[in-house]
Amino acid sequence: MKGIVFSEFNDMVEETFSPEILDRIIEKAALPSGGAYTSVGTYDHVELVSLVTHLSEETGIDAGELVRAFGKHLAGRFATQYPAFFNGVDGTLDFLETIEAHVHVEVRKLYPDAELPIFDTRRHDRDHLQMTYRSNRPFADLAEGLILGCAEHFNENLKISREDNQHNGINESRFAIQQQN
Ligand code: HEM
């Protein structure tokens, strides 16, 4: 996982909780990287899982909820850092349909060693999208947070239901997404 993701996570912890809590979880997680991330470096995604686990212990907040909150934060950063992906797109569901074939394709050009999930989308009608996440990493909560963060960007309300499965080490989550306004 790219260092940029870790730096954003660290920023969120500092802003939402405190610099002291960030120091404490980095120390407790005893990370191979020591917690010093560069944006272009690549680190084991297990380091993020470990940081989240310690943050959950430290704050008493469920780990899944923390990862979803991080996803929302990350979507906000992406909207600021990569406005071109969002400009000219009509709404959240249209935007989500561009991730697999456009956004992540460009991400891969920028970072050839990026570890990206696979998304499969099916648009039932204007207000209904089914989006399936597949990855050998366990970040469906991150995907959910990113989806919700995108909806915030477009000022829309979504109703999301989700079904998680796992086969042959692949995490598969099917999101049924309904636009409500
Ligand atoms: C402009 C928008 C976006 C940008 C620039 C972007 C970029 C990235 C980058 C840089 C990574 C890290 C790759 C690595 O660490 O090796 C990543 C991973 C990921 N992205 Fe995106 N992304 C965007 C939108 C989204 C959206 C809307 C979703 C959800 C529907 C999503 C789902 C994910 C997930 C779940 C991962 C973690 C890797 C995994 O689970 O296998 N991304 N993305």
Side-chain angles (χ1 to χ4, degrees), residues 29-63:
L31 308 164
S33 71
Y37 301 107
T38 66
S39 62
V40 290
T42 300
Y43 308 87
D44 192 335
H45 72 269
V46 172
E47 290 203 6
L48 186 62
V49 176
S50 177
L51 284 167
V52 169
T53 306
H54 284 91
L55 183 61
S56 172
E57 278 170 16
E58 194 72 37
T59 60
I61 302 171
D62 170 73

PDB file of all heavy atoms in Angstrom, residues 29-63:
ATOM      1  N   ALA A  29       2.066  -0.322  17.785  1.00  0.00           N
ATOM      2  CA  ALA A  29       1.955  -1.218  16.634  1.00  0.00           C
ATOM      3  C   ALA A  29       3.313  -1.796  16.244  1.00  0.00           C
ATOM      4  O   ALA A  29       3.373  -2.790  15.503  1.00  0.00           O
ATOM      5  CB  ALA A  29       1.327  -0.471  15.453  1.00  0.00           C
ATOM      6  N   ALA A  30       4.396  -1.193  16.742  1.00  0.00           N
ATOM      7  CA  ALA A  30       5.761  -1.676  16.455  1.00  0.00           C
ATOM      8  C   ALA A  30       5.913  -2.054  14.978  1.00  0.00           C
ATOM      9  O   ALA A  30       6.191  -3.194  14.628  1.00  0.00           O
ATOM     10  CB  ALA A  30       6.106  -2.856  17.371  1.00  0.00           C
ATOM     11  N   LEU A  31       5.710  -1.045  14.117  1.00  0.00           N
ATOM     12  CA  LEU A  31       5.664  -1.284  12.681  1.00  0.00           C
ATOM     13  C   LEU A  31       7.048  -1.511  12.082  1.00  0.00           C
ATOM     14  O   LEU A  31       8.000  -0.837  12.475  1.00  0.00           O
ATOM     15  CB  LEU A  31       5.048  -0.055  11.990  1.00  0.00           C
ATOM     16  CG  LEU A  31       3.715   0.401  12.574  1.00  0.00           C
ATOM     17  CD1 LEU A  31       3.404   1.809  12.099  1.00  0.00           C
ATOM     18  CD2 LEU A  31       2.615  -0.562  12.153  1.00  0.00           C
ATOM     19  N   PRO A  32       7.148  -2.388  11.103  1.00  0.00           N
ATOM     20  CA  PRO A  32       8.438  -2.573  10.416  1.00  0.00           C
ATOM     21  C   PRO A  32       8.970  -1.251   9.841  1.00  0.00           C
ATOM     22  O   PRO A  32      10.172  -1.007   9.865  1.00  0.00           O
ATOM     23  CB  PRO A  32       8.111  -3.553   9.286  1.00  0.00           C
ATOM     24  CG  PRO A  32       6.906  -4.291   9.768  1.00  0.00           C
ATOM     25  CD  PRO A  32       6.133  -3.330  10.627  1.00  0.00           C
ATOM     26  N   SER A  33       8.077  -0.383   9.358  1.00  0.00           N
ATOM     27  CA  SER A  33       8.518   0.887   8.764  1.00  0.00           C
ATOM     28  C   SER A  33       8.862   1.922   9.833  1.00  0.00           C
ATOM     29  O   SER A  33       9.406   2.968   9.522  1.00  0.00           O
ATOM     30  CB  SER A  33       7.410   1.471   7.896  1.00  0.00           C
ATOM     31  OG  SER A  33       6.367   1.924   8.736  1.00  0.00           O
ATOM     32  N   GLY A  34       8.474   1.659  11.090  1.00  0.00           N
ATOM     33  CA  GLY A  34       8.665   2.643  12.153  1.00  0.00           C
ATOM     34  C   GLY A  34       7.666   3.787  12.049  1.00  0.00           C
ATOM     35  O   GLY A  34       7.719   4.741  12.808  1.00  0.00           O
ATOM     36  N   GLY A  35       6.751   3.731  11.068  1.00  0.00           N
ATOM     37  CA  GLY A  35       5.726   4.772  10.940  1.00  0.00           C
ATOM     38  C   GLY A  35       6.207   5.983  10.156  1.00  0.00           C
ATOM     39  O   GLY A  35       5.536   6.998  10.093  1.00  0.00           O
ATOM     40  N   ALA A  36       7.406   5.879   9.534  1.00  0.00           N
ATOM     41  CA  ALA A  36       7.909   7.001   8.730  1.00  0.00           C
ATOM     42  C   ALA A  36       7.608   6.704   7.265  1.00  0.00           C
ATOM     43  O   ALA A  36       8.331   5.946   6.619  1.00  0.00           O
ATOM     44  CB  ALA A  36       9.400   7.167   8.954  1.00  0.00           C
ATOM     45  N   TYR A  37       6.518   7.285   6.769  1.00  0.00           N
ATOM     46  CA  TYR A  37       6.066   6.960   5.409  1.00  0.00           C
ATOM     47  C   TYR A  37       6.406   8.074   4.424  1.00  0.00           C
ATOM     48  O   TYR A  37       6.251   9.243   4.738  1.00  0.00           O
ATOM     49  CB  TYR A  37       4.545   6.748   5.403  1.00  0.00           C
ATOM     50  CG  TYR A  37       4.097   5.648   6.335  1.00  0.00           C
ATOM     51  CD1 TYR A  37       3.441   5.944   7.520  1.00  0.00           C
ATOM     52  CD2 TYR A  37       4.369   4.323   6.027  1.00  0.00           C
ATOM     53  CE1 TYR A  37       3.032   4.942   8.385  1.00  0.00           C
ATOM     54  CE2 TYR A  37       3.957   3.311   6.887  1.00  0.00           C
ATOM     55  CZ  TYR A  37       3.297   3.629   8.066  1.00  0.00           C
ATOM     56  OH  TYR A  37       2.902   2.630   8.912  1.00  0.00           O
ATOM     57  N   THR A  38       6.850   7.689   3.231  1.00  0.00           N
ATOM     58  CA  THR A  38       6.981   8.676   2.153  1.00  0.00           C
ATOM     59  C   THR A  38       5.851   8.382   1.172  1.00  0.00           C
ATOM     60  O   THR A  38       5.426   7.222   1.046  1.00  0.00           O
ATOM     61  CB  THR A  38       8.329   8.556   1.418  1.00  0.00           C
ATOM     62  OG1 THR A  38       8.369   7.299   0.721  1.00  0.00           O
ATOM     63  CG2 THR A  38       9.501   8.618   2.392  1.00  0.00           C
ATOM     64  N   SER A  39       5.373   9.427   0.481  1.00  0.00           N
ATOM     65  CA  SER A  39       4.154   9.227  -0.317  1.00  0.00           C
ATOM     66  C   SER A  39       4.359   8.224  -1.446  1.00  0.00           C
ATOM     67  O   SER A  39       3.430   7.531  -1.840  1.00  0.00           O
ATOM     68  CB  SER A  39       3.642  10.567  -0.858  1.00  0.00           C
ATOM     69  OG  SER A  39       4.613  11.120  -1.695  1.00  0.00           O
ATOM     70  N   VAL A  40       5.568   8.133  -1.979  1.00  0.00           N
ATOM     71  CA  VAL A  40       5.781   7.203  -3.095  1.00  0.00           C
ATOM     72  C   VAL A  40       6.235   5.816  -2.632  1.00  0.00           C
ATOM     73  O   VAL A  40       6.248   4.871  -3.426  1.00  0.00           O
ATOM     74  CB  VAL A  40       6.803   7.749  -4.121  1.00  0.00           C
ATOM     75  CG1 VAL A  40       6.216   8.919  -4.885  1.00  0.00           C
ATOM     76  CG2 VAL A  40       8.113   8.111  -3.460  1.00  0.00           C
ATOM     77  N   GLY A  41       6.613   5.688  -1.352  1.00  0.00           N
ATOM     78  CA  GLY A  41       7.061   4.386  -0.843  1.00  0.00           C
ATOM     79  C   GLY A  41       5.911   3.394  -0.791  1.00  0.00           C
ATOM     80  O   GLY A  41       4.745   3.769  -0.841  1.00  0.00           O
ATOM     81  N   THR A  42       6.238   2.110  -0.714  1.00  0.00           N
ATOM     82  CA  THR A  42       5.213   1.075  -0.602  1.00  0.00           C
ATOM     83  C   THR A  42       5.435   0.308   0.698  1.00  0.00           C
ATOM     84  O   THR A  42       6.561  -0.060   1.014  1.00  0.00           O
ATOM     85  CB  THR A  42       5.290   0.109  -1.807  1.00  0.00           C
ATOM     86  OG1 THR A  42       5.080   0.872  -2.997  1.00  0.00           O
ATOM     87  CG2 THR A  42       4.225  -0.969  -1.732  1.00  0.00           C
ATOM     88  N   TYR A  43       4.361   0.084   1.435  1.00  0.00           N
ATOM     89  CA  TYR A  43       4.450  -0.566   2.749  1.00  0.00           C
ATOM     90  C   TYR A  43       3.396  -1.662   2.821  1.00  0.00           C
ATOM     91  O   TYR A  43       2.394  -1.628   2.104  1.00  0.00           O
ATOM     92  CB  TYR A  43       4.213   0.485   3.851  1.00  0.00           C
ATOM     93  CG  TYR A  43       5.108   1.690   3.688  1.00  0.00           C
ATOM     94  CD1 TYR A  43       4.722   2.759   2.886  1.00  0.00           C
ATOM     95  CD2 TYR A  43       6.379   1.731   4.281  1.00  0.00           C
ATOM     96  CE1 TYR A  43       5.561   3.860   2.690  1.00  0.00           C
ATOM     97  CE2 TYR A  43       7.216   2.823   4.094  1.00  0.00           C
ATOM     98  CZ  TYR A  43       6.796   3.883   3.289  1.00  0.00           C
ATOM     99  OH  TYR A  43       7.633   4.961   3.092  1.00  0.00           O
ATOM    100  N   ASP A  44       3.633  -2.588   3.724  1.00  0.00           N
ATOM    101  CA  ASP A  44       2.697  -3.706   3.882  1.00  0.00           C
ATOM    102  C   ASP A  44       1.343  -3.158   4.394  1.00  0.00           C
ATOM    103  O   ASP A  44       1.315  -2.433   5.394  1.00  0.00           O
ATOM    104  CB  ASP A  44       3.298  -4.685   4.901  1.00  0.00           C
ATOM    105  CG  ASP A  44       2.555  -6.008   4.910  1.00  0.00           C
ATOM    106  OD1 ASP A  44       1.359  -6.028   4.531  1.00  0.00           O
ATOM    107  OD2 ASP A  44       3.169  -7.008   5.306  1.00  0.00           O
ATOM    108  N   HIS A  45       0.244  -3.548   3.719  1.00  0.00           N
ATOM    109  CA  HIS A  45      -1.075  -3.042   4.143  1.00  0.00           C
ATOM    110  C   HIS A  45      -1.427  -3.504   5.553  1.00  0.00           C
ATOM    111  O   HIS A  45      -2.269  -2.908   6.221  1.00  0.00           O
ATOM    112  CB  HIS A  45      -2.171  -3.464   3.155  1.00  0.00           C
ATOM    113  CG  HIS A  45      -2.518  -4.910   3.222  1.00  0.00           C
ATOM    114  ND1 HIS A  45      -1.897  -5.870   2.454  1.00  0.00           N
ATOM    115  CD2 HIS A  45      -3.393  -5.580   4.002  1.00  0.00           C
ATOM    116  CE1 HIS A  45      -2.398  -7.048   2.761  1.00  0.00           C
ATOM    117  NE2 HIS A  45      -3.306  -6.901   3.695  1.00  0.00           N
ATOM    118  N   VAL A  46      -0.734  -4.578   6.023  1.00  0.00           N
ATOM    119  CA  VAL A  46      -0.974  -5.073   7.388  1.00  0.00           C
ATOM    120  C   VAL A  46      -0.614  -3.987   8.414  1.00  0.00           C
ATOM    121  O   VAL A  46      -1.184  -3.936   9.508  1.00  0.00           O
ATOM    122  CB  VAL A  46      -0.164  -6.384   7.618  1.00  0.00           C
ATOM    123  CG1 VAL A  46      -0.208  -6.826   9.058  1.00  0.00           C
ATOM    124  CG2 VAL A  46      -0.701  -7.480   6.702  1.00  0.00           C
ATOM    125  N   GLU A  47       0.298  -3.087   8.036  1.00  0.00           N
ATOM    126  CA  GLU A  47       0.639  -1.976   8.941  1.00  0.00           C
ATOM    127  C   GLU A  47      -0.589  -1.095   9.204  1.00  0.00           C
ATOM    128  O   GLU A  47      -0.794  -0.615  10.315  1.00  0.00           O
ATOM    129  CB  GLU A  47       1.778  -1.104   8.370  1.00  0.00           C
ATOM    130  CG  GLU A  47       3.126  -1.808   8.371  1.00  0.00           C
ATOM    131  CD  GLU A  47       4.326  -0.845   8.361  1.00  0.00           C
ATOM    132  OE1 GLU A  47       4.144   0.381   8.463  1.00  0.00           O
ATOM    133  OE2 GLU A  47       5.448  -1.351   8.251  1.00  0.00           O
ATOM    134  N   LEU A  48      -1.414  -0.900   8.160  1.00  0.00           N
ATOM    135  CA  LEU A  48      -2.613  -0.072   8.341  1.00  0.00           C
ATOM    136  C   LEU A  48      -3.609  -0.787   9.254  1.00  0.00           C
ATOM    137  O   LEU A  48      -4.197  -0.182  10.155  1.00  0.00           O
ATOM    138  CB  LEU A  48      -3.259   0.258   6.986  1.00  0.00           C
ATOM    139  CG  LEU A  48      -4.432   1.242   7.061  1.00  0.00           C
ATOM    140  CD1 LEU A  48      -3.986   2.596   7.616  1.00  0.00           C
ATOM    141  CD2 LEU A  48      -5.086   1.425   5.701  1.00  0.00           C
ATOM    142  N   VAL A  49      -3.749  -2.097   9.032  1.00  0.00           N
ATOM    143  CA  VAL A  49      -4.663  -2.883   9.869  1.00  0.00           C
ATOM    144  C   VAL A  49      -4.208  -2.793  11.324  1.00  0.00           C
ATOM    145  O   VAL A  49      -5.019  -2.610  12.243  1.00  0.00           O
ATOM    146  CB  VAL A  49      -4.706  -4.354   9.382  1.00  0.00           C
ATOM    147  CG1 VAL A  49      -5.577  -5.203  10.302  1.00  0.00           C
ATOM    148  CG2 VAL A  49      -5.207  -4.428   7.930  1.00  0.00           C
ATOM    149  N   SER A  50      -2.901  -2.872  11.544  1.00  0.00           N
ATOM    150  CA  SER A  50      -2.362  -2.831  12.899  1.00  0.00           C
ATOM    151  C   SER A  50      -2.595  -1.451  13.536  1.00  0.00           C
ATOM    152  O   SER A  50      -2.991  -1.355  14.713  1.00  0.00           O
ATOM    153  CB  SER A  50      -0.873  -3.179  12.823  1.00  0.00           C
ATOM    154  OG  SER A  50      -0.299  -3.097  14.072  1.00  0.00           O
ATOM    155  N   LEU A  51      -2.380  -0.387  12.773  1.00  0.00           N
ATOM    156  CA  LEU A  51      -2.628   0.963  13.303  1.00  0.00           C
ATOM    157  C   LEU A  51      -4.104   1.128  13.683  1.00  0.00           C
ATOM    158  O   LEU A  51      -4.432   1.672  14.738  1.00  0.00           O
ATOM    159  CB  LEU A  51      -2.244   2.026  12.256  1.00  0.00           C
ATOM    160  CG  LEU A  51      -0.747   2.282  12.079  1.00  0.00           C
ATOM    161  CD1 LEU A  51      -0.477   3.106  10.820  1.00  0.00           C
ATOM    162  CD2 LEU A  51      -0.160   2.983  13.300  1.00  0.00           C
ATOM    163  N   VAL A  52      -4.987   0.605  12.824  1.00  0.00           N
ATOM    164  CA  VAL A  52      -6.427   0.721  13.095  1.00  0.00           C
ATOM    165  C   VAL A  52      -6.792  -0.067  14.352  1.00  0.00           C
ATOM    166  O   VAL A  52      -7.557   0.405  15.207  1.00  0.00           O
ATOM    167  CB  VAL A  52      -7.251   0.222  11.885  1.00  0.00           C
ATOM    168  CG1 VAL A  52      -8.724   0.088  12.240  1.00  0.00           C
ATOM    169  CG2 VAL A  52      -7.077   1.151  10.683  1.00  0.00           C
ATOM    170  N   THR A  53      -6.239  -1.266  14.481  1.00  0.00           N
ATOM    171  CA  THR A  53      -6.527  -2.097  15.652  1.00  0.00           C
ATOM    172  C   THR A  53      -6.120  -1.367  16.940  1.00  0.00           C
ATOM    173  O   THR A  53      -6.875  -1.336  17.925  1.00  0.00           O
ATOM    174  CB  THR A  53      -5.761  -3.438  15.559  1.00  0.00           C
ATOM    175  OG1 THR A  53      -6.081  -4.031  14.294  1.00  0.00           O
ATOM    176  CG2 THR A  53      -6.132  -4.393  16.674  1.00  0.00           C
ATOM    177  N   HIS A  54      -4.948  -0.753  16.919  1.00  0.00           N
ATOM    178  CA  HIS A  54      -4.501  -0.038  18.123  1.00  0.00           C
ATOM    179  C   HIS A  54      -5.313   1.233  18.365  1.00  0.00           C
ATOM    180  O   HIS A  54      -5.590   1.585  19.506  1.00  0.00           O
ATOM    181  CB  HIS A  54      -2.997   0.263  18.046  1.00  0.00           C
ATOM    182  CG  HIS A  54      -2.178  -0.953  18.310  1.00  0.00           C
ATOM    183  ND1 HIS A  54      -1.759  -1.806  17.311  1.00  0.00           N
ATOM    184  CD2 HIS A  54      -1.749  -1.511  19.461  1.00  0.00           C
ATOM    185  CE1 HIS A  54      -1.102  -2.814  17.840  1.00  0.00           C
ATOM    186  NE2 HIS A  54      -1.076  -2.667  19.149  1.00  0.00           N
ATOM    187  N   LEU A  55      -5.716   1.896  17.282  1.00  0.00           N
ATOM    188  CA  LEU A  55      -6.552   3.095  17.444  1.00  0.00           C
ATOM    189  C   LEU A  55      -7.907   2.712  18.047  1.00  0.00           C
ATOM    190  O   LEU A  55      -8.454   3.426  18.889  1.00  0.00           O
ATOM    191  CB  LEU A  55      -6.752   3.797  16.087  1.00  0.00           C
ATOM    192  CG  LEU A  55      -7.550   5.098  16.127  1.00  0.00           C
ATOM    193  CD1 LEU A  55      -6.859   6.156  17.002  1.00  0.00           C
ATOM    194  CD2 LEU A  55      -7.760   5.662  14.717  1.00  0.00           C
ATOM    195  N   SER A  56      -8.407   1.549  17.631  1.00  0.00           N
ATOM    196  CA  SER A  56      -9.671   1.066  18.157  1.00  0.00           C
ATOM    197  C   SER A  56      -9.551   0.777  19.655  1.00  0.00           C
ATOM    198  O   SER A  56     -10.421   1.152  20.451  1.00  0.00           O
ATOM    199  CB  SER A  56     -10.084  -0.187  17.377  1.00  0.00           C
ATOM    200  OG  SER A  56     -11.209  -0.780  17.963  1.00  0.00           O
ATOM    201  N   GLU A  57      -8.447   0.151  20.057  1.00  0.00           N
ATOM    202  CA  GLU A  57      -8.227  -0.121  21.487  1.00  0.00           C
ATOM    203  C   GLU A  57      -8.112   1.184  22.267  1.00  0.00           C
ATOM    204  O   GLU A  57      -8.636   1.326  23.374  1.00  0.00           O
ATOM    205  CB  GLU A  57      -6.943  -0.936  21.677  1.00  0.00           C
ATOM    206  CG  GLU A  57      -7.165  -2.420  21.442  1.00  0.00           C
ATOM    207  CD  GLU A  57      -5.863  -3.209  21.392  1.00  0.00           C
ATOM    208  OE1 GLU A  57      -4.818  -2.680  21.838  1.00  0.00           O
ATOM    209  OE2 GLU A  57      -5.895  -4.350  20.884  1.00  0.00           O
ATOM    210  N   GLU A  58      -7.401   2.116  21.698  1.00  0.00           N
ATOM    211  CA  GLU A  58      -7.132   3.397  22.348  1.00  0.00           C
ATOM    212  C   GLU A  58      -8.413   4.222  22.534  1.00  0.00           C
ATOM    213  O   GLU A  58      -8.589   4.892  23.541  1.00  0.00           O
ATOM    214  CB  GLU A  58      -6.137   4.155  21.461  1.00  0.00           C
ATOM    215  CG  GLU A  58      -5.464   5.341  22.047  1.00  0.00           C
ATOM    216  CD  GLU A  58      -4.424   4.983  23.102  1.00  0.00           C
ATOM    217  OE1 GLU A  58      -3.715   3.953  22.955  1.00  0.00           O
ATOM    218  OE2 GLU A  58      -4.346   5.736  24.060  1.00  0.00           O
ATOM    219  N   THR A  59      -9.329   4.169  21.546  1.00  0.00           N
ATOM    220  CA  THR A  59     -10.494   5.065  21.543  1.00  0.00           C
ATOM    221  C   THR A  59     -11.799   4.355  21.920  1.00  0.00           C
ATOM    222  O   THR A  59     -12.799   5.013  22.182  1.00  0.00           O
ATOM    223  CB  THR A  59     -10.699   5.668  20.130  1.00  0.00           C
ATOM    224  OG1 THR A  59     -10.916   4.586  19.205  1.00  0.00           O
ATOM    225  CG2 THR A  59      -9.494   6.474  19.698  1.00  0.00           C
ATOM    226  N   GLY A  60     -11.784   3.018  21.878  1.00  0.00           N
ATOM    227  CA  GLY A  60     -13.019   2.285  22.149  1.00  0.00           C
ATOM    228  C   GLY A  60     -13.985   2.310  20.972  1.00  0.00           C
ATOM    229  O   GLY A  60     -15.123   1.855  21.075  1.00  0.00           O
ATOM    230  N   ILE A  61     -13.547   2.845  19.827  1.00  0.00           N
ATOM    231  CA  ILE A  61     -14.416   2.890  18.638  1.00  0.00           C
ATOM    232  C   ILE A  61     -14.136   1.658  17.779  1.00  0.00           C
ATOM    233  O   ILE A  61     -12.976   1.275  17.577  1.00  0.00           O
ATOM    234  CB  ILE A  61     -14.166   4.182  17.826  1.00  0.00           C
ATOM    235  CG1 ILE A  61     -14.422   5.420  18.700  1.00  0.00           C
ATOM    236  CG2 ILE A  61     -15.029   4.217  16.571  1.00  0.00           C
ATOM    237  CD1 ILE A  61     -13.990   6.735  18.075  1.00  0.00           C
ATOM    238  N   ASP A  62     -15.205   1.066  17.294  1.00  0.00           N
ATOM    239  CA  ASP A  62     -15.119  -0.124  16.458  1.00  0.00           C
ATOM    240  C   ASP A  62     -14.179   0.095  15.260  1.00  0.00           C
ATOM    241  O   ASP A  62     -14.224   1.149  14.617  1.00  0.00           O
ATOM    242  CB  ASP A  62     -16.550  -0.437  15.986  1.00  0.00           C
ATOM    243  CG  ASP A  62     -16.579  -1.496  14.919  1.00  0.00           C
ATOM    244  OD1 ASP A  62     -16.345  -2.662  15.268  1.00  0.00           O
ATOM    245  OD2 ASP A  62     -16.807  -1.149  13.733  1.00  0.00           O
ATOM    246  N   ALA A  63     -13.335  -0.912  14.970  1.00  0.00           N
ATOM    247  CA  ALA A  63     -12.325  -0.776  13.915  1.00  0.00           C
ATOM    248  C   ALA A  63     -12.968  -0.489  12.551  1.00  0.00           C
ATOM    249  O   ALA A  63     -12.473   0.350  11.789  1.00  0.00           O
ATOM    250  CB  ALA A  63     -11.466  -2.034  13.848  1.00  0.00           C
TER     251      ALA A  63
END
